Amino acid sequence: YLIHDAEMINLAGPGRDTKAYDSGKLLSLLDASGKLIIKPLGGQGGKGVLRIEAAAGLYSINNDRCDAGTMLRRLANLEGHIVCRFERQHHYADELYSAATNTIRFVTMRDYSEHRAFIGACFHRVGTLRSGPVDNLSKGGLLCAIDMKSGTIGRALNWSADNEVRFVEKHPDTGVLISGTSIPTWDYVKSEVLRMADSFAFLPYMGWDILITDSGFRVLEINSLPTLLWQIHDPICDNPRAREFYQHMISRKSRKAR
């Protein structure tokens, strides 16, 4: 299936075999849109994400050129994946690094004394040559601090291929200055993330992958167990509300285990 906001487009072929899909439908959709994203239903760290593209009868998977038959044969071996429309990011994110989709991760938590959600942490991810079309740190992308109040991006963490951790102000491949970049419509995006989190009050802990666009923003996915790697910028226990949230969750789990 292709999922886009509330829209679902059936790409399955005839019959009841849910593993099969209609290659003609997929090619028609790709030719019409130019780019699509295919990603697994589960997993983490950007593993298994594919960006397929079509232009003037030529095709590619994660920038590797191929013909239509080669692409379809590779996709035929996938199981448990969804197809998503490619979303164009805001020009500020393009300036950071245009070859990847550069997202913001918001970690929302539940304040049980005030009975509402709050943002426990946030950081910006930026892709690199190493990470390919994704921006995940585990794939070689950058993890950037964000000033929660102003929405200004700080220094970036670069986890090199030789497992050395470096902090950088500029993009390691392009030399573009990252630190000091302002995220547009920051207050609006924060308020909308909190509004959505409050709509899911039964899910007290979520990681939201947000893409800023020229017309607003898109929620690319929601993670049930978000990474704690951002602590290298801001230790979690330095935030009293976040510390209380984790203490509450640990206490509740301990009571259930008795």
Side-chain angles (χ1 to χ4, degrees):
Y1 282 85
L2 175 121
I3 302 177
H4 182 248
D5 291 338
E7 175 188 14
M8 294 189 69
I9 301 174
N10 188 0
L11 294 178
R16 293 191 172 185
D17 186 358
T18 56
K19 294 182 180 180
Y21 72 99
D22 188 319
S23 58
K25 288 183 181 180
L26 181 62
L27 276 182
S28 295
L29 187 64
L30 179 58
D31 288 335
S33 60
K35 294 181 184 179
L36 293 171
I37 300 295
I38 300 178
K39 60 184 183 180
L41 290 170
Q44 58 184 355
K47 185 177 180 180
V49 174
L50 302 175
R51 184 176 68 192
I52 60 175
E53 301 182 50
L58 300 175
Y59 299 89
S60 67
I61 301 178
N62 288 352
N63 296 324
D64 293 332
R65 293 286 182 87
C66 60
D67 57 33
T70 301
M71 180 186 69
L72 292 174
R73 283 192 295 273
R74 181 172 175 184
L75 299 181
N77 294 322
L78 299 178
E79 293 185 9
H81 284 64
I82 59 172
V83 183
C84 308
R85 293 194 194 277
F86 178 81
E87 298 289 351
R88 297 196 177 279
Q89 61 193 358
H90 192 280
H91 61 82
Y92 94 91
D94 250 350
E95 290 172 0
L96 294 176
Y97 188 68
S98 61
T101 298
N102 306 306
T103 60
I104 303 170
R105 164 64 63 85
F106 287 93
V107 180
T108 59
M109 305 173 187
R110 194 80 184 158
D111 188 318
Y112 286 97
S113 61
E114 298 184 6
H115 304 288
R116 61 190 176 98
F118 68 95
I119 298 172
C122 62
F123 56 86
H124 208 301
R125 292 180 293 208
V126 178
T128 64
L129 282 172
R130 239 180 96 211
S131 69
V134 298
D135 58 0
N136 301 80
L137 180 66
S138 59
K139 288 288 187 178
L142 306 177
L143 192 154
C144 312
I146 299 177
D147 182 281
M148 185 85 76
K149 184 176 181 180
S150 68
T152 302
I153 302 176
R155 64 179 182 170
L157 167 66
N158 182 21
W159 192 351
S160 67
D162 55 4
N163 286 327
E164 184 177 349
V165 174
R166 300 186 183 96
F167 288 100
V168 297
E169 305 283 332
K170 298 180 178 180
H171 195 285
D173 300 319
T174 66
V176 169
L177 182 64
I178 294 174
S179 181
T181 299
S182 295
I183 301 170
T185 63
W186 177 246
D187 289 337
Y188 167 72
V189 174
K190 281 195 304 182
S191 65
E192 285 297 289
V193 168
L194 287 173
R195 182 186 64 79
M196 292 185 293
D198 274 328
S199 298
F200 294 95
F202 54 92
L203 296 174
Y205 188 48
M206 291 180 281
W208 303 76
D209 288 346
I210 301 293
L211 179 71
I212 307 295
T213 67
D214 287 337
S215 60
F217 70 91
R218 295 290 192 194
V219 180
L220 298 190
E221 64 181 40
I222 306 173
N223 296 265
S224 60
L225 193 63
T227 178
L228 295 176
L229 280 173
W230 46 266
Q231 286 195 96
I232 201 163
H233 288 300
D234 297 296
I236 184 64
C237 287
D238 284 356
N239 182 334
R241 294 180 82 188
R243 183 172 62 248
E244 288 178 12
F245 168 78
Y246 285 118
Q247 288 173 338
H248 175 90
M249 298 303 289
I250 292 170
S251 175
R252 190 168 73 175
K253 189 173 180 64
S254 298
R255 289 196 299 270
K256 286 184 178 180
R258 292 173 187 168

